[in-house]
Amino acid sequence: QVQVVESGGGVVQPGRSLRLSCAASGFTFSSYGMHWVRQAPGKGLEWVAVIWYGGSNKYYADSVKGRFTISRDNSKNTLYLQMNSLRVEDTAVYYCARDLREAGSTIDYWGQGTLVTVSS
Amino acid sequence: DIQMTQSPSSLSASVGDRVTITCRASQGISNYLAWFQQKPGKAPKSLIYASSSLQSGVPSKFSGSGSGTDFTLTISSLQPEDFATYYCQQYNSYPFTFGPGTKVDIK
């Protein structure tokens, strides 16, 4: 069965960096786009970034552009989110999610999320 | 960026009720509209894509419609497990954007 499992969350000070990972299994990882979506405490869902199946196309929310980088290693079935210059407002549960297709579509499967807390 | 709005922001309903949630896009998005369900403390679950296509395993009591700027999600007969928050999302153009959510709770 399709499974995506996030890791790497934790507490980090403002201005520091953190890298999230998402291990995928149960499907041909290299054939699907992958997304990151976040949810601040008590708030709604916010789409963060997407990477197409081959890794060559990446798109970001305005709120993270220039600070976050999405990447993937298809040989390891793993998705990443490198988060730099973190701000208090980046505090959220970060979800890894599979695209319905190889590129440019919406989400079909979600992970359980990993909590990132940015605080001094 | 495309802005998404939902109405109502919350509603109270009884088991067996028919419930309709509306989602509106700030510009035309064809049928590139998805719906998600989220229960407290849980990850979202994908319900519908392409405005009206059910994701695998989603029961037929859920249905979606619309095109352009106006969309609806309908739950034909509300069951206890359907009490949750529902989000729409446009995927017509980047950055993808979610609506603010509609919370459905028990009357």
Side-chain angles (χ1 to χ4, degrees):
Chain A
Q1 70 282 18
V2 173
Q3 195 168 12
V4 290
V5 179
E6 305 90 340
S7 62
V11 180
V12 61
Q13 293 179 327
R16 304 297 291 265
S17 299
L18 199 65
R19 189 178 83 158
L20 304 182
S21 299
C22 171
S25 60
F27 64 101
T28 304
F29 181 70
S30 59
S31 296
Y32 289 86
M34 296 294 295
H35 300 255
W36 288 100
V37 175
R38 69 184 181 182
Q39 186 169 37
K43 303 297 184 183
L45 300 173
E46 180 184 16
W47 180 84
V48 173
V50 66
I51 185 169
W52 289 11
Y53 68 106
S56 57
N57 293 75
K58 309 171 187 181
Y59 300 91
Y60 298 91
D62 294 342
S63 59
V64 307
K65 198 176 297 182
R67 300 187 299 123
F68 289 12
T69 301
I70 190 172
S71 63
R72 66 191 297 159
D73 186 335
N74 285 345
S75 68
K76 295 182 178 179
N77 292 346
T78 302
L79 175 73
Y80 302 100
L81 185 68
Q82 177 68 42
M83 304 185 293
N84 298 334
S85 303
L86 281 161
R87 305 168 180 168
V88 171
E89 54 266 35
D90 294 320
T91 295
V93 174
Y94 284 74
Y95 295 102
C96 165
R98 192 184 81 164
D99 197 293
L100 186 62
R101 310 197 193 291
E102 70 278 1
S105 190
T106 186
I107 290 164
D108 60 356
Y109 288 94
W110 298 72
Q112 288 305 302
T114 187
L115 176 62
V116 173
T117 302
V118 184
S119 173
S120 54
Chain B
D1 298 0
I2 298 174
Q3 308 303 315
M4 305 299 293
T5 57
Q6 289 183 232
S7 60
S9 56
S10 65
L11 66 90
S12 295
S14 302
V15 172
D17 283 353
R18 180 183 179 90
V19 168
T20 297
I21 299 168
T22 297
C23 176
R24 177 165 291 174
S26 61
Q27 63 189 76
I29 59 170
S30 184
N31 69 333
Y32 295 106
L33 192 284
W35 290 98
F36 303 92
Q37 175 195 65
Q38 187 178 34
K39 298 178 181 179
K42 300 294 186 181
K45 174 185 177 182
S46 301
L47 297 178
I48 287 172
Y49 66 97
S51 178
S52 60
S53 297
L54 290 180
Q55 292 276 5
S56 175
V58 174
S60 58
K61 63 181 172 180
F62 292 97
S63 63
S65 65
S67 183
T69 60
D70 295 320
F71 302 86
T72 60
L73 172 70
T74 298
I75 309 171
S76 60
S77 177
L78 204 64
Q79 297 302 305
E81 62 272 18
D82 302 327
F83 292 95
T85 299
Y86 293 84
Y87 296 91
C88 62
Q89 182 214 34
Q90 68 81 19
Y91 57 102
N92 177 78
S93 62
Y94 296 116
F96 292 172
T97 43
F98 288 92
T102 295
K103 185 177 181 180
V104 177
D105 60 22
I106 301 172
K107 182 183 288 184

